[in-house]
Amino acid sequence: MPVGLEITLAPERLDEGPPEERACFGLFTIRAGAADLTAGLDFYISAYRPGPLVSGYHAAEWFAWNWWRLRYEPRSPAPEWWRAHKMTAIGEGYVWPNLTIFSDGVRTALLAEPSVRPDAKPFRYLGAHPCVLPSTEFEAAVDAFIPRILARLRDQCVQETNLDAMWRDVLTERADPAQARRRRLEALLGRDPDEIEDDAVDRLVADAAALGELAVEELAADRARGGDALTAAALERLAASGGTDASPRDVVQLAPGTRLPSGPDVPAWRLGAEAAQVLRAQLGLPDAPITDAKLAEIAGTQKRALARRTASQTVSFALDRDATHSRIVLRSRWPTGRRFELARLLADRIVASPPGRLHAATRAYTYRQKMQRSFAAELLSPFAAVDAMLAGDYSAEAQADVAEHFQVSERTILTLLVNHHRVEREELDEDLGAAA
């Protein structure tokens, strides 16, 4: 874990271009701990530099315009996602770092890759090890950098600029809880501020009263990946037509006094895995597969919930009516997938424990969803038992045999092996946790 993140600009002279560009020209660096994420070889001096010569004004504009998305939007396959998260999108005639920045809401990843071409000119980026740090540290670094750029503009007698207006708007929005809520939802939807004039954000804000604000944010992050918008009314209909009865009161709970790792320094996969280990020990479960009946029992429902699938949906969920009545909807077409989804919903109840009626297992890579996946993998296929069965044979065939034994998918076993450093991470290009 790097110690601190710093974005800096050491002024240099530029004799042409707009006033704001010339005022903020210099050596641009991003450093995480001792690692230079912007380092490379400068063609003109044939030497190493910790960063390129660019205009910090354009970098500050990019950070300000994309602030909400950089701070809250997880990795996504959406076609235009990269424009808000990859610094090469800045353009303006400069060769920007091949640096991708994204968040799961709790932790931020900065992935510095080498220049695509080995003979890149005038600056060839070397890349660096992936960096993951608390999102609050990324926020603090940007909050320090932009005012320094604004101060540089004033020092050079450059008055009101587009950056001034954008940054004032961001600070105003952050200070207003209602506006901040809307901007977070827009970011999770993969949208720029006020980008699309429809009622999607209004509907999510309205549904927060019925479903819970944090649950609605999870739905927004999932919607950014494509698919139908699931409103509170749509979820109610799905629960009524395709759900199975459950009782929140019957869901197993972690023993009073249980202490789990917490805080932004804790990867989501570690939190989920440790919670599952604690629960297995608490229930006295051996390292054997969990039966469908036992899984349903601890999730507060009946075995038939695992046999029922709702077609054409992207989200599995539990929708509570009160403390004793709920409906569970599982979407996977495969029995192993439905087992995994039910275990994820269990994690959402007992580890995330969010307020509100809705517990959702989505496709998004927010911290909460990644914690669910890790919990489900460890609960259904405890790593110690998986590792013992494989006995050093990590071939695809051996993984398939273990997956069949524990009634999980082969990808679940591979993810466990990656998280525990038994196989290389390049074999699983999954999310922020795998990337770092």
Side-chain angles (χ1 to χ4, degrees), residues 153-421:
L153 290 167
R154 301 296 97 84
D155 288 344
Q156 298 298 306
C157 299
V158 180
Q159 299 307 314
E160 185 72 13
T161 66
N162 187 48
L163 175 61
D164 287 274
M166 283 197 296
W167 191 235
R168 276 198 304 270
D169 287 346
V170 170
L171 295 178
T172 299
E173 291 159 359
R174 286 164 58 179
D176 182 332
Q179 273 287 83
R181 185 181 308 118
R182 293 186 67 86
R183 290 292 183 251
R184 281 198 306 273
L185 288 171
E186 285 174 333
L188 289 165
L189 286 166
R191 297 180 175 186
D192 293 330
D194 297 324
E195 175 191 16
I196 301 174
E197 302 226 353
D198 62 15
D199 61 352
V201 176
D202 290 331
R203 286 202 309 270
L204 288 168
V205 170
D207 285 347
L211 303 176
E213 185 173 327
L214 298 178
V216 160
E217 290 184 357
E218 299 298 325
L219 292 180
D222 182 75
R223 183 179 173 185
R225 299 176 63 90
D228 299 331
L230 288 175
T231 62
L235 290 167
E236 293 278 8
R237 290 193 297 271
L238 284 169
S241 63
T244 303
D245 285 331
S247 171
R249 183 177 292 171
D250 293 338
V251 174
V252 67
Q253 297 296 319
L254 295 175
T258 297
R259 300 188 67 177
L260 296 174
S262 62
D265 289 332
V266 179
W269 77 263
R270 182 183 156 206
L271 171 60
E274 291 199 21
Q277 291 163 4
V278 167
L279 182 60
R280 266 189 169 265
Q282 177 183 311
L283 296 176
L285 294 173
D287 284 345
I290 295 179
T291 65
D292 285 357
K294 184 64 176 179
L295 178 59
E297 176 192 335
I298 63 177
T301 188
Q302 299 169 349
K303 184 179 175 180
R304 67 171 178 267
L306 290 165
R308 190 168 190 179
R309 176 200 171 221
T310 301
S312 302
Q313 297 305 316
T314 60
V315 175
S316 296
F317 63 92
L319 188 62
D320 298 344
R321 184 172 27 170
D322 53 43
T324 58
H325 297 90
S326 182
R327 296 282 283 181
I328 288 177
V329 174
L330 304 177
R331 60 151 205 92
S332 178
R333 71 180 66 182
W334 308 110
T336 56
R338 291 193 292 274
R339 282 168 54 85
F340 198 78
E341 289 164 0
L342 186 57
R344 287 181 64 183
L345 295 177
L346 174 61
D348 203 68
R349 285 193 184 279
I350 69 175
V351 184
S353 302
R357 299 173 54 213
L358 177 66
H359 300 270
T362 79
R363 302 164 298 170
Y365 288 118
T366 62
Y367 190 90
R368 180 168 159 187
Q369 299 302 317
K370 291 188 296 180
M371 178 280 294
Q372 291 178 12
R373 294 185 185 99
S374 178
F375 175 95
E378 183 67 24
L379 181 71
L380 298 177
S381 48
F383 175 71
V386 168
D387 205 33
M389 284 188 67
L390 289 171
D393 178 5
Y394 303 124
S395 65
E397 293 79 10
Q399 291 182 40
D401 289 342
V402 173
E404 183 177 6
H405 174 77
F406 285 106
Q407 301 176 63
V408 297
S409 70
E410 294 173 29
R411 189 169 184 81
T412 297
I413 299 301
L414 176 58
T415 304
L416 282 169
L417 294 175
V418 166
N419 282 341
H420 289 273
H421 310 292

Side-chain angles (χ1 to χ4, degrees), residues 6 11 37 39 60 93 123 135 275 289 411:
E6 189 176 22
L37 305 184
F123 199 87
S135 293
R411 189 169 184 81

